[in-house]
Structure formats: structure tokens, C-alpha cells
Amino acid sequence: QVACVLTECGEVCAPSSCIERPKHPLALRASELIPPKLLKISCGRSFASSLGSGSSGSGSSSSGSSLEMLSLAHWVKVLSYRGGDWPKGLIAEVTSWENPCDFFLPFCRWLEMELKEAEQPSEVLNQIWDLDLLPAFRSELQPLRPLRPLRLSSGHIFARPCVKIRTEWQGALCDAEVLRIVEPRCRCALQSATPFLLESLTWPSPTRAELAAACIRSHQMDFDPFAVAEPMSMKAVLASLACLKEAFLADEVLEPEVTWKELGKRLWIPSTKRVLQRPSQLSNYSFLGVVVGSAEGTVSLEIQSTGGDRSDRSDRQRDILDLGWEAFLDAIGVTPLSLSDVSDDLSLSVALG
């Protein structure tokens, strides 16, 4: 083919190396999100200039054939590309923007239109199944970390956190990729602009039982209990145990005919040395909610700080741990504290009244 099409970059290329921007306003606005360099690398195409051909200015038909229009198939190639200026892909780069909604709003408006107009919406979902699509919720513990991209193939994406569990715990689980929740600002914007798309890509929110099941699965990952940085941080381990404790206290049935003690065999608990051990290898640190020691081989006292805000409690109340933790740890197989191991039984007597 003869080079006869003027591109937006000012080059004159063959029609097979060019692509036309869509005419529909939503699709046109979305096409403007694609960096020309990325389009060239991923699809081998350049956007044709609206001025027309390089020789006669008569448009894209000077060679006798019309130009191919940017489509979902091209978007799949663009979003799948990894390398160069986009080592983790376009969506991963966008999540580091000060306001990612500047990208996701026009992108999702176009994607919703594609989904609505498709004869078989499932075919559209199949094409985008393995693509990064939405930004993930991030905990306040890592405010400077770029938002993690979410994809359908990784598992359920939830629109919002579970209302029955502390959001900060769910944020720590999102950081460790145990849970997948859409970033709140983006979710609010999409709820208003593209409710059909958001409903098609996400589940409303995890139930307490679903959240607990995800926490149990996370403890079954193949990782070194002596180095909990990957794939779960200590914060995520503590958060997962806190979520499980709430499910236990709410009498949730996670697996029919499976006791909490049997579930405990799959869990890891931090010890006083910040090493993860199985519940059966550890002893509790309290008796009736009163801390009576943190000797070697007991559950880490760090676990009590995951119980929530204690700032509004009295001095006496701060010394009394949440009895829920003690009941939960006992249920999953942690050895109850033996009073024969208590060195200061007088202090214990005073604390218990």
C-alpha cells in the first residue's frame, strides 16, 4: 500500500498502519485516553489525522479503502501491553494519577456503552476478563502507594466494604490482595455516571461470612511464616484474624459440619516473637480478659490492638482485653492459659475483683 494517510503525529503512512478515531462522542472521548506511542507499540497503528490524506487532503479514502475504526479489540491490545513506559500497563500507570477518575470516568462511560449495545454482553465480558479495569481500595496505612488495578479474572470485585466489619481491617486485606474492593472515590463517581457497568463488573459488598472465608483462604497460601512480608503483611494477618473473630462472635457458619477448631488448623497466629505459628502451638495471654503475661510460646499481645479504638476507655478498661478475642482463640485451638503458670496471682485476683 502507498503511504497516503496523514497521521496526527504528522507522518504519512499506509492505510494499513493507521486507525480512525470513533465518531460517537463517548468512544471518541475514550480514544483520547490512549497515548499515541502506546497505540503504535501495542497495535502497530497510528491515529489518522482528521485533515485527511498526506497528498490530496481528500480523507481516508484516497487509497480506495476506508480506514479501520478503533474498536474494543484494539483496546484489549492497548490494555494488555506491558513494557517500555508502561511496565505494568496503562491502567496501573493511571492509578498513580492525583485524580484517577479523570481516566476512569470517560473510559467506563465508553465501556458501558459497548456492554449495552452488544448483542451478546457476555462476549464483551469475556474479552475484558483478564484486563486491569478498576482501581482498588487502599488502606490508610499506605496513603502514598499507587492504587492497585483490579481485574475480573482475579475473583469477585466488590463495590464497597462490608458494613459489619471495620473498614480499616478490610483496607489491610485489600493491600495484601486478599480482598478486592473498588476505590471509594471512583466507585461514587461510577455509581452516578455508569451504574449499569458498575453493577455488571462488581458485587455489592461482601457479607461477613464471605469476608471470613476469604481470610481463611489467605492463611492457606504457600508462604514462609518466619517472613510475613509476602504475600501477607503482619497487619493483614492481624486484620484477617479480627474479621474471623467477628464472624465467630456473630455465630456465622463458614463451612457446614466443620468446627472452628478444625478451621483453626488452617490459620496462622502471631506469637510474642512475631513469628506465625499454628494455634495448637500457642497458649493464650489472658484469663477472663485480664492480661497475666506474655511469655514465650503465647499469642502476641499485638493482637489486642486490632480490637478497635480503645481511646475512650478508662484506665481499668484498657487493662481488660476484649473477651471476644479470648473466646475466639480458645475456639480455634489456642491452649487456654493455665493459672499454675501465673506468677503474680495476687495481681490477678485484684484485677478480677
Side-chain angles (χ1 to χ4, degrees):
Q1 290 184 324
V2 178
C4 60
V5 180
L6 180 66
T7 69
E8 292 181 350
C9 297
E11 301 175 334
V12 178
C13 299
S16 60
S17 299
C18 298
I19 199 167
E20 192 174 2
R21 290 189 186 273
K23 297 295 190 292
H24 192 283
L26 294 181
L28 175 61
R29 175 67 186 92
S31 74
E32 294 169 353
L33 302 171
I34 302 177
K37 181 179 178 182
L38 179 56
L39 180 69
K40 182 77 170 180
I41 297 173
S42 60
C43 300
R45 306 295 182 88
S46 298
F47 282 120
S49 171
S50 58
L51 297 178
S53 69
S55 56
S56 63
S58 59
S60 59
S61 60
S62 61
S63 62
S65 62
S66 60
L67 295 180
E68 189 175 2
M69 189 82 71
L70 181 72
S71 67
L72 177 60
H74 299 106
W75 267 103
V76 170
K77 291 182 179 180
V78 167
L79 297 180
S80 300
Y81 178 79
R82 302 288 186 275
D85 295 335
W86 300 272
K88 297 182 179 180
L90 177 60
I91 297 295
E93 185 215 349
V94 167
T95 57
S96 65
W97 291 6
E98 183 176 349
N99 185 8
C101 290
D102 290 343
F103 177 94
F104 287 106
L105 271 178
F107 170 71
C108 288
R109 285 190 177 110
W110 160 76
L111 189 55
E112 182 180 69
M113 180 185 70
E114 289 284 321
L115 201 59
K116 284 182 175 180
E117 294 183 352
E119 292 184 8
Q120 295 291 334
S122 60
E123 293 183 1
V124 174
L125 294 176
N126 284 336
Q127 289 187 71
I128 64 176
W129 187 254
D130 287 319
L131 300 178
D132 294 340
L133 293 174
L134 297 169
F137 177 55
R138 174 184 57 200
S139 76
E140 296 179 357
L141 300 173
Q142 301 184 17
L144 301 180
R145 183 181 64 83
L147 300 172
R148 180 170 52 85
L150 298 172
R151 56 177 60 186
L152 297 175
S153 60
S154 297
H156 287 177
I157 299 174
F158 295 101
R160 59 182 63 81
C162 175
V163 297
K164 296 181 179 180
I165 300 293
R166 292 179 68 93
T167 302
E168 65 190 67
W169 299 344
Q170 297 177 72
L173 295 175
C174 286
D175 291 343
E177 302 186 27
V178 172
L179 195 59
R180 288 164 289 277
I181 299 175
V182 179
E183 194 275 329
R185 287 183 304 166
C186 185
R187 185 251 303 163
C188 289
L190 297 182
Q191 258 184 332
S192 174
T194 59
F196 177 77
L197 178 69
L198 191 64
E199 184 177 337
S200 300
L201 301 182
T202 67
W203 297 71
S205 66
T207 64
R208 190 161 42 199
E210 288 173 330
L211 188 54
C215 291
I216 290 176
R217 287 194 299 272
S218 72
H219 282 248
Q220 294 176 274
M221 294 177 179
D222 183 17
F223 68 100
D224 181 0
F226 292 92
V228 295
E230 294 293 341
M232 293 179 68
S233 67
M234 182 62 80
K235 287 290 184 183
V237 173
L238 293 170
S240 69
L241 293 171
C243 293
L244 288 168
K245 180 203 70 171
E246 293 300 309
F248 165 75
L249 295 177
D251 204 22
E252 296 280 3
V253 178
L254 303 189
E255 297 181 23
E257 301 182 3
V258 178
T259 66
W260 277 95
K261 186 155 291 187
E262 290 173 318
L263 290 174
K265 295 176 182 178
R266 311 177 198 172
L267 303 180
W268 294 99
I269 310 292
S271 70
T272 51
K273 290 188 174 182
R274 289 181 62 86
V275 173
L276 298 183
Q277 295 180 253
R278 297 300 188 185
S280 59
Q281 299 173 308
L282 295 170
S283 299
N284 213 329
Y285 49 67
S286 64
F287 181 78
L288 294 182
V290 180
V291 175
V292 293
S294 77
E296 184 175 347
T298 60
V299 174
S300 171
L301 291 178
E302 190 175 10
I303 203 169
Q304 65 177 289
S305 64
T306 318
D309 185 11
R310 300 154 63 92
S311 60
D312 57 347
R313 299 185 183 185
S314 67
D315 290 340
R316 174 179 170 78
Q317 288 174 322
R318 292 192 188 105
D319 292 334
I320 307 297
L321 287 176
D322 180 4
L323 283 172
W325 272 116
E326 193 170 314
F328 169 68
L329 293 173
D330 178 65
I332 62 175
V334 172
T335 303
L337 185 70
S338 173
L339 293 184
S340 62
D341 296 331
V342 179
S343 57
D344 190 358
D345 53 358
L346 178 59
S347 297
L348 176 60
S349 299
V350 172
L352 293 175

